[in-house]
């Protein structure tokens, strides 16, 4: 269980922070940048949750919780067996759940016949923004994976999450005016 007694620690005043295993690194370390991007996705979802109701609200709350798992996974480097046994890692079931939710929403959506523009309903626009932030986080995580050993399921989760957010935005828009379609060359 997490126990926070003080929000400020002053350890960051010199540009350093502590990872989940106690290692101290610079705040611009690739690992810190990766889980910082994940935190930004979570904050964007928090904004989206202000205007959403119904089953998708529960889905997004679950995703927010899972994003904390992603952050915990990323902030704890792979190490010795004892540390690894205690580390919180993303698991396949979290990815499977995203796929199941996408499949359920897709049953109610028309097939795509064009690229779509981010927008439509307010909640859909927020989900599109969260999707683009998730893609950026995924790129940071892939960069981290090139230099450090990470749980490969984290990359898969973030990839699937951006897909999920795309489908969720379409699902929201389908209940109103529909997707905003790209019209190639429209303004030439």
């Amino acid at each position: 269980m997490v126990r926070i007694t003080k929000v400020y620690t002053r350890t960051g005043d010199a540009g350093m922070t502590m990872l989940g295993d106690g290692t101290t690194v610079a705040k611009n370390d690739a690992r810190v940048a990766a889980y910082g991007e994940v935190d930004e996705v979570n904050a964007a979802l928090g904004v989206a949750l202000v205007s959403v109701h119904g089953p998708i609200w529960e889905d997004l709350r679950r995703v927010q919780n899972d994003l904390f798992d992603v952050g915990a996974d990323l902030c704890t480097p792979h190490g010795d067996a004892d540390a690894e046994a205690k580390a919180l890692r993303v698991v396949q079931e979290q990815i499977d759940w995203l796929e199941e939710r996408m499949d359920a929403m897709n049953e109610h959506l028309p097939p795509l016949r064009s690229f779509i523009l981010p927008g439509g309903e307010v909640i859909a626009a927020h989900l599109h923004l969260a999707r683009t932030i998730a893609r950026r986080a995924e790129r940071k995580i892939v960069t981290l994976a090139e230099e450090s050993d990470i749980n490969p399921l984290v990359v898969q989760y973030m990839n699937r999450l951006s897909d999920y957010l795309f489908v969720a935005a379409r699902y929201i828009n389908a209940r109103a005016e529909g997707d905003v379609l790209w019209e190639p060359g429209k303004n030439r």
Side-chain angles (χ1 to χ4, degrees):
M1 180 56 120
V2 175
R3 184 168 183 254
I4 300 170
T5 56
K6 232 177 176 179
V7 172
Y8 66 91
T9 62
R10 295 190 176 111
T11 58
D13 292 353
M16 304 300 283
T17 191
M18 191 177 299
L19 298 178
D21 67 351
T23 305
T24 301
V25 297
K27 285 193 172 192
N28 64 351
D29 182 86
R31 185 174 297 280
V32 178
Y35 66 73
E37 298 283 347
V38 171
D39 191 34
E40 190 174 346
V41 177
N42 211 337
L45 290 178
V47 172
L49 278 162
V50 170
S51 57
V52 71
H53 309 302
I56 201 152
W57 187 92
E58 293 167 7
D59 284 3
L60 294 177
R61 259 308 173 228
R62 179 176 174 152
V63 168
Q64 281 195 302
N65 198 78
D66 284 352
L67 284 170
F68 260 77
D69 291 355
V70 170
D73 192 323
L74 288 170
C75 90
T76 308
H78 288 253
D80 63 54
D82 288 339
E84 196 59 36
K86 296 175 189 171
L88 178 60
R89 300 293 183 210
V90 171
V91 295
Q92 184 64 45
E93 290 76 16
Q94 290 168 298
I95 298 164
D96 294 344
W97 179 85
L98 287 171
E99 291 175 354
E100 290 165 9
R101 296 304 302 139
M102 278 188 283
D103 291 344
M105 286 185 286
N106 262 325
E107 289 179 11
H108 306 285
L109 296 175
L112 279 172
R113 303 211 188 289
S114 172
F115 287 106
I116 64 171
L117 302 176
E121 295 295 302
V122 170
I123 180 64
H126 284 300
L127 294 175
H128 278 298
L129 179 59
R131 171 186 57 79
T132 64
I133 298 168
R135 285 286 185 212
R136 186 176 68 223
E138 180 186 2
R139 291 189 297 272
K140 291 281 188 180
I141 293 166
V142 168
T143 298
L144 173 63
E146 290 174 350
E147 63 183 54
S148 298
D149 185 23
I150 69 164
N151 176 1
L153 293 178
V154 169
V155 177
Q156 291 177 32
Y157 182 87
M158 293 306 294
N159 184 32
R160 213 66 83 248
L161 175 60
S162 58
D163 295 338
Y164 167 85
L165 294 170
F166 177 79
V167 172
R170 289 196 69 221
Y171 181 78
I172 294 293
N173 279 338
R175 302 177 87 166
E177 300 295 318
D179 292 320
V180 180
L181 300 179
W182 173 46
E183 299 175 46
K186 176 182 179 183
N187 300 313
R188 288 186 191 186

